[in-house]
RNA sequence: GGCCCCUUCGUCUAGCGGUCAGGACACCGGCCUCUCACGCCGGUAACAGGGGUUCGAGUCCCCUAGGGGUCACCA
């Protein structure tokens, strides 16, 4: 969308904050999309922040892959990517502030001891949580390692005001004295999130529903830091066909994998956004249309099941109306990947090929597969089709057609059609009798675009060569 | 298990007290047709259950059931 230069940037600031412990998967992408469209709709600022405080599992490969995925999707972030690992000073400063104000305390309990506490509480039928052993043990022994915990209230309640869920009340008795800085000095997720969101002046936190239960913990950090909370919107999640959380088991769920499988970014975006969001009966939206109409209020609160068939349908819709040049480029790249040179046929011809294939391909991969035979020197015949259609009976017809094709002037689909009709009239056969054997001879199989167009696109030389090869086979 | 969220066709959804409960994907017919598609026409299919509130409830409230999430020195 062209930015209206008269439109002032609003105070709306949102962030998408994935961890680089895995690929950007479609669930995360949808969350990112909601954030991004919300920001654009309000002429606000969309920020990308990588949460890489997990030293064990974060990798640079995933970091790069996440950026690559966004690049492919065509989502540009107004700020970032910020990385939490570069912002340690900020967290340390906040932690010290909390320590000196008494909101946080040093805890020398070992993980084993804390686990034991939780077990004891569980055995008594109570909420398993840290028991507060170190809360008031202010004199600490030197050389004993410690972590920092945030002192949680034992009574009362913490209310999360959510745009979608309304006021959600959590009993403070459920809350733990959570660790905000680990023994190794690394700050923890729930702490960094709040500190960063404050520092980045985030106005709306839009994230998955799985974070709702975490929110009161973060609210506690805001309160301890004496900062106002942002507005929250916890969106529904995407589930697999088994109604379980999306995972590797459901197949390809990384965004980049959809690229590999021949999906167009516009189609993926359209599909993902429509999961939970709608605008009347409209199914197909350009980015600009989504920007114009997106509103958090229209978001569905219930989980959505990922439906690959509908994505496929949408993808084909996008392929049907895609720019021809783009499709040719995609075709060329796909062919080269398989070691087939695209330029055995002219670019104009390839444009004709993708035009024939666009109504027959639900993915770019399908399209390339459907175009293979145009570019192979020697096609592979499907045995079943060959034995059914390449018979001595059909070979006579094909031979006649071959001679007619050899005579025609320009090898246009119209002229090819005339050639067919001359043979059909002469032999008093219907088109089907002639077309299927020719199709098998030309394409190797029984499925292809219209036979006149196919021959015309393939060109006279290659067409006759293949016809001859098929004829030779029958006569053997 | 505690706490939290959710519940309209198989799936995505429209609906925001009065509709024959609409659209889309998928599926099933039909038309078109040289195959496969595309396109066009038509069809099957839903308010989880039970209580209220109301003249009237898919729409509001409660309960039950089911599904999901979360309870870490992971994010």
């Amino acid at each position: 969308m062209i930015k209206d230069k008269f439109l002032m940037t609003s105070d709306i600031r949102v962030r998408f904050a994935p961890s680089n412990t895995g690929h950007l998967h479609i669930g995360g992408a949808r969350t990112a999309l909601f954030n991004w469209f919300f920001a654009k709709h309000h002429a606000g600022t969309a920020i990308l922040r990588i949460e890489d405080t997990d030293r064990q599992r974060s990798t640079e490969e995933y970091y790069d892959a996440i950026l690559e995925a966004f690049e492919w999707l065509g989502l540009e972030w107004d700020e970032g990517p910020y990385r939490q690992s570069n912002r340690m000073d900020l967290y340390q400063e906040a932690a010290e502030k909390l320590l000196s104000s008494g909101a946080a305390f040093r805890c020398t309990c070992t993980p084993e001891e804390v686990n034991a506490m939780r077990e004891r509480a569980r055995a008594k039928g109570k909420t398993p949580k840290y028991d507060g052993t170190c809360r008031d043990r202010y004199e600490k022994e030197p050389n004993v390692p410690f972590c920092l915990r945030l002192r949680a209230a034992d009574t009362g309640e913490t209310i999360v005001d959510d745009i979608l869920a309304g006021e959600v009340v959590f009993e403070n008795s459920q809350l733990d004295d959570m660790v905000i800085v680990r023994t190794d000095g690394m700050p923890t997720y729930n702490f960094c999130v709040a500190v960063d969101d404050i520092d980045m002046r985030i106005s709306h936190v839009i994230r998955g529903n799985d974070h709702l239960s975490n929110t009161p913990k973060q609210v506690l950090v805001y309160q301890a830091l004496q900062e106002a909370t942002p507005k929250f919107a916890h969106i529904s999640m995407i589930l697999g066909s088994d109604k379980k959380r999306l995972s590797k088991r459901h197949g390809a769920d990384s965004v980049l994998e959809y690229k590999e499988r021949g999906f167009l970014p516009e189609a993926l975006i359209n599909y993902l956004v429509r999961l939970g969001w709608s605008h009347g009966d409209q199914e197909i939206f350009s980015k600009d249309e989504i920007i114009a109409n997106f509103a958090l209020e229209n978001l569905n609160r219930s989980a959505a099941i990922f439906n690959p068939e509908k994505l496929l349908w949408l993808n084909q819709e996008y392929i049907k109306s895609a720019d021809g040049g783009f499709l040719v480029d995609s075709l060329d790249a796909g062919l080269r990947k398989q070691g087939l040179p695209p330029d055995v046929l002219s670019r104009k011809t390839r444009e004709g090929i993708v035009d024939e294939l666009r109504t027959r391909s639900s993915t770019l991969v399908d399209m390339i597969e459907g175009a293979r035979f145009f570019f192979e020197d020697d096609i592979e015949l499907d045995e079943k089709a060959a034995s059914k259609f390449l018979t001595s009976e059909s070979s006579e017809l094909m031979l006649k057609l071959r001679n007619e094709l050899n005579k025609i002037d320009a090898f246009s689909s119209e002229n090819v059609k005339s050639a067919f009709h001359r043979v059909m009239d002469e032999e008093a056969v219907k088109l089907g009798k002639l077309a299927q054997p020719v199709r098998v001879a030309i394409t190797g199989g029984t499925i292809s675009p219209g036979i006149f167009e196919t021959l015309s696109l393939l060109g006279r030389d290659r067409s006759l060569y293949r016809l001859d090869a098929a004829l030779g086979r029958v006569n053997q």
Side-chain angles (χ1 to χ4, degrees):
Chain A
M1 187 165 150
I2 298 155
K3 263 197 182 147
D4 187 340
K5 60 184 168 182
F6 299 109
L7 201 62
M8 290 278 287
T9 299
S10 71
D11 294 332
I12 301 284
R13 291 172 63 81
V14 299
R15 79 324 191 259
F16 175 63
S19 67
N20 56 333
T21 56
H23 281 103
L24 178 67
H25 55 91
I26 54 176
R30 189 181 69 130
T31 302
L33 253 11
F34 285 161
N35 272 285
W36 194 87
F37 282 118
F38 177 73
K40 295 301 152 186
H41 178 79
H42 292 286
T45 306
I47 300 165
L48 180 62
R49 183 174 78 214
I50 307 293
E51 316 230 317
D52 56 357
T53 54
D54 183 342
R55 278 177 170 159
Q56 260 66 262
R57 298 187 300 152
S58 298
T59 72
E60 287 310 295
E61 285 71 30
Y62 285 134
Y63 174 82
D64 293 338
I66 289 168
L67 297 191
E68 190 188 342
F70 281 124
E71 195 174 322
W72 177 67
L73 285 172
L75 284 203
E76 290 188 5
W77 298 91
D78 302 305
E79 289 183 25
Y82 294 112
R83 300 187 65 157
Q84 289 187 325
S85 55
N86 292 335
R87 299 163 61 79
M88 290 300 146
D89 293 351
L90 190 70
Y91 313 128
Q92 193 177 344
E93 193 185 324
E96 277 163 11
K97 195 170 160 187
L98 293 182
L99 194 54
S100 61
S101 75
F105 60 91
R106 293 185 179 89
C107 173
T108 56
C109 298
T110 64
E112 291 71 34
E113 288 168 335
V114 176
N115 278 340
M117 290 173 202
R118 294 208 167 92
E119 280 312 312
R120 275 196 295 273
R122 200 190 304 272
K124 278 191 266 181
K126 292 168 49 176
T127 305
K129 55 194 268 193
Y130 175 74
D131 68 2
T133 299
C134 293
R135 275 186 172 186
D136 301 307
R137 223 168 35 165
Y138 40 78
E139 92 290 4
K140 69 165 189 68
E141 313 94 292
N143 301 325
V144 176
F146 61 89
C147 68
L148 249 41
R149 287 180 184 274
L150 187 71
R151 183 188 296 251
D154 299 305
T155 58
E157 50 196 26
T158 297
I159 297 173
V160 174
D161 191 11
D162 191 274
I163 292 173
L164 293 173
E167 286 195 353
V168 185
V169 180
F170 295 87
E171 295 293 328
N172 285 343
S173 58
Q174 298 285 325
L175 268 28
D176 214 342
D177 287 348
M178 68 164 175
V179 172
I180 58 172
V181 179
R182 298 179 178 93
T183 306
D184 68 1
M186 281 297 273
T188 60
Y189 167 75
N190 282 115
F191 180 56
C192 295
V193 167
V195 172
D196 275 333
D197 286 345
I198 291 167
D199 181 66
M200 295 176 184
R201 307 190 321 281
I202 300 300
S203 64
H204 297 254
V205 171
I206 303 168
R207 78 225 310 192
N209 208 255
D210 50 336
H211 288 276
L212 183 53
S213 303
N214 278 328
T215 307
K217 298 178 188 175
Q218 293 165 21
V219 169
L220 254 31
V221 177
Y222 277 89
Q223 290 171 348
L225 254 15
Q226 294 176 302
E227 295 281 350
T229 54
K231 291 194 167 58
F232 293 102
H234 286 92
I235 63 177
S236 65
M237 305 184 56
I238 306 181
L239 271 27
S241 50
D242 57 358
K243 295 199 171 180
K244 289 276 190 296
R245 193 183 189 137
L246 273 188
S247 69
K248 295 277 192 299
R249 277 182 295 286
H250 291 89
D253 62 348
S254 113
V255 166
L256 256 16
E257 208 153 324
Y258 282 86
K259 175 188 178 187
E260 292 308 312
R261 288 158 80 202
F263 287 88
L264 304 194
E266 295 82 359
L268 221 212
I269 288 174
N270 195 150
Y271 178 74
L272 254 19
V273 162
R274 270 287 283 103
L275 239 38
W277 177 80
S278 61
H279 182 66
D281 285 340
Q282 193 170 344
E283 294 288 348
I284 297 178
F285 295 86
S286 68
K287 256 188 196 174
D288 285 352
E289 285 176 308
I290 301 170
I291 291 170
N293 296 303
F294 189 81
L296 289 176
E297 288 71 24
N298 295 134
L299 286 183
N300 209 318
R301 284 154 36 155
S302 54
I305 293 172
F306 184 77
N307 182 208
E309 281 81 28
K310 189 156 184 179
L311 205 210
L312 240 20
W313 168 76
L314 249 185
N315 201 50
Q316 173 155 21
E317 289 300 310
Y318 276 88
I319 287 176
K320 280 195 292 194
S321 60
D323 174 71
F326 164 77
L327 291 181
V328 172
D329 290 344
S330 303
L331 174 68
D332 290 358
L335 289 172
R336 284 201 190 90
K337 223 177 205 170
Q338 299 184 38
L340 293 169
D343 40 18
V344 293
L345 297 172
S346 72
R347 185 163 177 102
K348 190 151 179 11
T349 301
R350 280 176 277 150
E351 275 170 20
I353 289 171
V354 298
D355 274 340
E356 288 297 329
L357 256 19
R358 66 204 309 158
T359 54
R360 289 169 239 261
S361 315
S362 43
T363 68
L364 259 18
V365 171
D366 285 349
M367 181 183 81
I368 292 156
E369 195 48 41
R372 273 191 71 100
F373 73 85
F374 281 106
F375 300 89
E376 288 166 325
D377 283 334
D378 290 295
I379 53 165
E380 193 181 324
L381 290 180
D382 174 64
E383 275 312 317
K384 222 176 126 196
S387 59
K388 180 172 179 190
F389 292 105
L390 298 184
T391 61
S392 53
E393 184 192 1
S394 68
S395 71
E396 286 185 37
L397 292 171
M398 285 198 286
L399 183 59
K400 287 201 156 57
L401 177 74
R402 187 226 183 276
N403 294 332
E404 289 295 333
L405 289 176
N406 198 26
K407 277 190 267 181
I408 61 180
D409 215 14
F411 211 67
S412 66
S413 59
E414 291 76 20
N415 289 346
V416 169
K417 184 179 180 182
S418 306
F420 266 77
H421 279 284
R422 283 196 291 279
V423 176
M424 286 157 57
D425 291 346
E426 207 172 300
E427 301 294 319
V429 294
K430 296 211 164 156
L431 179 55
K433 272 283 184 201
L434 184 53
Q436 272 312 74
V438 173
R439 192 185 317 277
V440 173
I442 295 301
T443 73
T446 55
I447 297 169
S448 84
I451 194 65
F452 313 136
E453 291 76 14
T454 301
L455 285 165
S456 169
L457 254 8
L458 225 207
R460 190 194 316 261
D461 292 349
R462 291 162 78 84
S463 295
L464 295 185
Y465 174 79
R466 289 183 193 187
L467 240 21
D468 288 340
L471 256 12
R473 178 195 151 100
V474 175
N475 295 329
Q476 244 175 21

